[in-house]
Amino acid sequence: MSLLKLLNFHHILMLSVFTGAANGYYCYQSSQCIYSSPDLSDMVYIEGFYFNKYLFVKFNSTVGKFVGFTEFGVRNAEIWNNDTNYLQMTRAQVDIFCRHNAELMEVAIYNKTVQPKVKLSSVMPGDSKHPALVMCSAYDFYPQPIKVSWLKDGAVVTSDVTSTEELPNGDWYYQIHSELEYTPKSGEKISCVVEHASFTKPMIYDWNPPAPEFEWNIQLLFTIESVALLLGIIIAAAGFIYYKIKSTEKILVPH
Ligand SMILES: *[C@@H]1O[C@H](CO)[C@@H](O)[C@H](O)[C@H]1NC(C)=O
Ligand SMILES: *[C@@H]1O[C@H](CO)[C@@H](O)[C@H](O)[C@H]1NC(C)=O
Ligand SMILES: *[C@@H]1O[C@H](CO)[C@@H](O)[C@H](O)[C@H]1NC(C)=O
């Protein structure tokens, strides 16, 4: 699906004829260029004339002439449609104004792409009882459409995948996160694939799970703790014995 694009221009022709403090009249002309196809073939030029908020004459390039909506509007439409030069000039706006400006905008904005920064991280390391959870994040890319998928030994994985939408950062860039739940097997290769307009081909990022040192650390912690506890008991016991001997000496050998 293609996004409908709109270039909107307002020309204020005449600002108010004041009749007292609060009353005024506001007349303006609006020019719009509406299109969705990247080659600009479906471009439509709309010119609207408004008195206060009311549209009284409109030119639509698909229709090819002015159409009036009030008595004043109908009269103006007749006069302008009668003026061959003016009509031709207005009809030409779809090319000289809309397509010209849209081309500049396409090159300057819409056709710009920024490559995502891709990061793989472990959410849950997984063990004999629980599956592992790995996350593939793509940051700061433009434009919005992107595809993030997973490969297990080169084959596409579709189950046990959860993805967010493309989340707008609020600064024209987007981010997306995809999680894969899997049971770690030795020698198995997990990869994240990112497809985006900024890449000429799908980019593959291999997952290197962190070394399983988690349980070993817990064990080590317990060992250190036990040794410390034992040492504490020994020191406390030695102190107590020393104190006992000292106090016994005091009683037995008075000065
Ligand atoms: C312009 O005219 C075409 C043909 O009548 C119509 O389909 C289209 O909706 C019009 N566009 C606007 C913005 O009025
Ligand atoms: C439009 O042009 C025709 C022929 O030139 C003329 O008879 C007619 O009065 C014109 N109408 C308006 C509203 O100017
Ligand atoms: C913008 O990109 C689209 C799609 O890649 C292409 O068809 C179009 O010609 C480009 N437009 C310009 C003005 O470069």
Side-chain angles (χ1 to χ4, degrees):
M1 198 194 71
S2 199
L3 190 73
L4 199 70
K5 293 167 185 167
L6 170 72
L7 305 181
N8 214 342
F9 301 88
H10 286 265
H11 315 272
I12 299 163
L13 290 184
M14 185 176 83
L15 228 183
S16 74
V17 176
F18 286 102
T19 59
N23 298 327
Y25 301 106
Y26 185 63
C27 191
Y28 73 98
Q29 177 195 344
S30 137
S31 305
Q32 296 180 322
C33 304
I34 306 167
Y35 68 105
S36 63
S37 84
D39 63 359
L40 317 182
S41 60
D42 62 350
M43 183 67 80
V44 179
Y45 174 67
I46 305 287
E47 198 172 282
F49 293 84
Y50 296 80
F51 180 70
N52 288 340
K53 282 187 178 175
Y54 300 102
L55 176 68
F56 63 94
V57 182
K58 179 172 167 178
F59 177 86
N60 175 333
S61 65
T62 313
V63 177
K65 61 182 172 78
F66 290 93
V67 176
F69 301 105
T70 63
E71 202 189 321
F72 179 65
V74 169
R75 209 169 68 236
N76 273 282
E78 263 176 25
I79 295 166
W80 292 339
N81 286 331
N82 234 14
D83 186 337
T84 321
N85 274 345
Y86 187 59
L87 194 63
Q88 287 308 323
M89 209 180 77
T90 310
R91 283 177 180 165
Q93 293 302 310
V94 69
D95 284 321
I96 61 175
F97 177 64
C98 289
R99 290 209 171 89
H100 175 70
N101 279 298
E103 246 166 55
L104 297 178
M105 297 281 265
E106 289 280 323
V107 173
I109 304 166
Y110 301 126
N111 276 20
K112 282 261 185 295
T113 62
V114 178
Q115 292 186 351
K117 296 178 188 79
V118 179
K119 203 181 128 213
L120 280 154
S121 56
S122 171
V123 180
M124 289 252 286
D127 53 32
S128 49
K129 289 184 212 81
H130 306 97
L133 203 55
V134 56
M135 183 159 70
C136 183
S137 303
Y139 294 100
D140 299 337
F141 56 88
Y142 183 88
Q144 182 174 9
I146 196 165
K147 192 179 162 201
V148 179
S149 50
W150 292 92
L151 295 180
K152 215 183 260 183
D153 284 333
V156 180
V157 188
T158 48
S159 56
D160 303 319
V161 174
T162 329
S163 285
T164 65
E165 301 284 305
E166 297 96 336
L167 309 164
N169 286 359
D171 58 0
W172 286 71
Y173 298 113
Y174 294 85
Q175 57 177 284
I176 191 168
H177 307 274
S178 179
E179 282 183 351
L180 171 73
E181 198 180 287
Y182 71 105
T183 309
K185 287 194 198 85
S186 75
E188 186 179 59
K189 200 170 87 179
I190 305 269
S191 318
C192 172
V193 185
V194 179
E195 290 164 78
H196 188 248
S198 60
F199 295 137
T200 50
K201 59 180 172 58
M203 298 297 281
I204 300 172
Y205 303 87
D206 292 335
W207 169 230
N208 300 307
E213 56 189 354
F214 187 65
E215 282 176 58
W216 182 80
N217 272 346
I218 289 276
Q219 296 243 310
L220 185 72
L221 213 66
F222 278 135
T223 314
I224 291 170
E225 231 168 45
S226 318
V227 169
L229 192 67
L230 202 66
L231 248 131
I233 292 168
I234 292 167
I235 291 167
F240 184 71
I241 292 163
Y242 178 74
Y243 168 77
K244 271 288 174 203
I245 291 167
K246 275 288 186 201
S247 45
T248 318
E249 272 172 5
K250 267 181 197 154
I251 295 160
L252 289 180
V253 195
H255 297 282

